Amino acid sequence: MRQILAVAAGLVVLAASACSVPTPPRSAAPSATPTGPATLPAPTGAHPVGTTALYLKDASRPDPWNLDVDARELKVTLWYPTEQRDGRRAPYMTPKESELALRRLGVAGVPDGTLSGTRTNAIADAEPAGRKLPLVVLSPGFTNPVNTLTSLAEDLASRGYVVAGIDHTYESYATTLPGGRVAECLACDSDTDPGFGTGVVAGRAADVSFVLDQLPSKWDGSDLIDRSEIAMVGQSIGGASAMATMVKDSRVRAGIDMDGTTYARIPKSGFSRPFMFLGSPQHVPGGRDTSWERDWKLLTGWKRWLVLSGAEHQSFTDGPLMADALAVTPASSVLPAARAAELTRSYVAAFLDQHLKSKRQPLLDKPSSRYPEVKFCPATCGQS
């Protein structure tokens, strides 16, 4: 489980701790002329989107990665509906975070702050609006900060969800904490240890439960949340953490794993809450990762197993949307970035609308001619 980062097929940041894949190249140089800052696709819902950040400290447990601190610090980014349509757009990341990201990616030939110039759609610190809004927790892949899921988060907020994205401190290349402190990836030096994945998802499950405990008292807009309607969505090891969290915390009613090998063990008696696997072709039956086949048999409630033809590990994140800004030319066989974002947004939203808003979604019943890339497993997908 080596922690190796690469740029390929747009910006593909591969966290090998959460899936079994061939080793990618260690770095990639720009192959064309940068086009300038990337622009995230506009949200598809009816509501303008606001965003703000919370900083929480769990004094009941030490940090699992930094032995010099006796409390777990977390940054939580919230996206939510607002009535405010004008205002300062929230930054995608800080210049320092961009610098650390490009260094870890091995990208040369573009300014250090390139990723910090990415144009978002959410208005910084806007007043939240709505009532009885479902809550969606987001957890990113290993080494990735949660802002790599911003496009998905903004879209869900525009559709009437409160989204709480958790930066799991010391597990990504950069987490900016109060006072401008930047926590870099201490966990990256431990990912060859036996039981690493199991330990990470257990720690993230504890992070999520703590955030759910704290949110009512730490955010002024928390009274808008319907706390009986909570789901979790994650990419890579964040997806594995969705399963781990649901096993431990009954408040999370539904979950989605986007292309992550699962580590937490489902009880042999089965698991009845709704769950969806959404992945790349490595996750087809008989593919390189067999964890989904193992867990599929133990999912006794509503379940789906969807595979996107042409998807890569990071197709479910903002990564491929950064290709032009970083002057990277995607392979012709890879699902185009805009299409990958559309598919991810559409199927994640359909799942959440059905299970948190009780709105039946025919899109989840069978393959769609509108989205022929999406294969329903195990019945209608084959190894590709």
Side-chain angles (χ1 to χ4, degrees):
M1 295 189 295
R2 289 175 294 169
Q3 188 272 329
I4 299 171
L5 298 175
V7 178
L11 175 63
V12 178
V13 185
L14 184 59
S17 64
C19 59
S20 176
V21 294
T23 300
R26 291 185 177 272
S27 65
S31 58
T33 302
T35 61
T39 299
L40 297 183
T44 61
H47 305 284
V49 177
T51 186
T52 194
L54 302 178
Y55 298 92
L56 307 178
K57 182 178 288 189
D58 185 356
S60 71
R61 58 189 172 120
D63 192 280
W65 307 113
N66 189 342
L67 301 181
D68 295 327
V69 299
D70 57 6
R72 177 71 163 157
E73 287 188 88
L74 296 171
K75 178 184 178 183
V76 180
T77 303
L78 297 168
W79 292 268
Y80 47 83
T82 181
E83 295 179 354
Q84 185 175 332
R85 295 188 176 274
D86 298 314
R88 180 178 63 90
R89 293 298 187 269
Y92 186 72
M93 60 174 63
T94 69
K96 182 63 175 179
E97 290 167 344
S98 175
E99 176 189 344
L100 292 171
L102 296 182
R103 181 191 307 168
R104 186 164 291 277
L105 293 167
V107 175
V110 296
D112 289 345
T114 295
L115 295 177
S116 66
T118 300
R119 298 186 179 102
T120 69
N121 299 282
I123 299 169
D125 299 318
E127 187 74 19
R131 59 184 298 274
K132 295 189 71 67
L133 303 175
L135 174 66
V136 181
V137 177
L138 285 187
S139 183
F142 186 60
T143 78
N144 285 354
V146 79
N147 56 21
T148 57
L149 299 174
T150 297
S151 174
L152 176 61
E154 290 182 338
D155 192 63
L156 291 175
S158 78
R159 293 171 180 255
Y161 292 91
V162 173
V163 180
I166 301 175
D167 273 304
H168 304 278
T169 314
Y170 303 114
E171 295 176 24
S172 73
Y173 52 74
T175 301
T176 301
L177 298 171
R181 294 174 293 132
V182 178
E184 298 188 41
C185 190
L186 300 181
C188 294
D189 296 329
S190 305
D191 65 350
T192 57
D193 295 348
F196 174 78
T198 301
V200 170
V201 299
R204 290 193 177 198
D207 287 347
V208 173
S209 291
F210 175 70
V211 169
L212 295 181
D213 291 341
Q214 293 292 305
L215 198 54
S217 62
K218 299 298 184 181
W219 183 45
D220 291 341
S222 63
D223 59 338
L224 305 180
I225 296 173
D226 182 352
R227 297 185 61 80
S228 68
E229 302 294 347
I230 300 174
M232 183 170 173
V233 181
Q235 187 265 341
S236 193
I237 209 164
S241 300
M243 176 70 75
T245 300
M246 291 180 70
V247 169
K248 294 293 185 179
D249 195 326
S250 62
R251 290 176 292 183
V252 183
R253 295 190 55 246
I256 301 176
D257 177 352
M258 300 188 298
D259 216 49
T261 295
T262 52
Y263 295 102
R265 291 295 178 261
I266 298 174
K268 291 183 178 179
S269 58
F271 189 80
S272 62
R273 275 172 274 161
F275 202 86
M276 184 168 77
F277 293 118
L278 180 65
S280 62
Q282 69 167 327
H283 286 292
V284 297
R288 297 182 63 84
D289 181 1
T290 61
S291 66
W292 289 11
E293 290 180 84
R294 178 197 66 213
D295 291 345
W296 181 255
K297 300 171 185 175
L298 294 172
L299 296 176
T300 57
W302 189 102
K303 60 184 179 180
R304 290 294 182 272
W305 176 356
L306 307 179
V307 167
L308 276 56
S309 299
E312 297 279 357
H313 188 52
Q314 295 296 322
S315 293
F316 309 93
T317 75
D318 298 343
L321 298 168
M322 307 298 169
D324 289 343
L326 297 180
V328 174
T329 303
S332 59
S333 60
V334 172
L335 191 64
R339 183 63 168 175
E342 179 185 4
L343 293 170
T344 300
R345 286 170 153 195
S346 296
Y347 280 87
V348 170
F351 174 89
L352 296 172
D353 283 353
Q354 178 153 318
H355 297 292
L356 297 188
K357 294 184 177 180
S358 300
K359 297 179 179 179
R360 184 174 171 273
Q361 300 294 309
L363 183 64
L364 300 174
D365 292 340
K366 61 183 179 180
S368 167
S369 59
R370 183 179 178 186
Y371 302 124
E373 303 94 333
V374 180
K375 310 300 180 183
F376 281 58
C377 300
T380 64
C381 72
Q383 187 153 9
S384 57

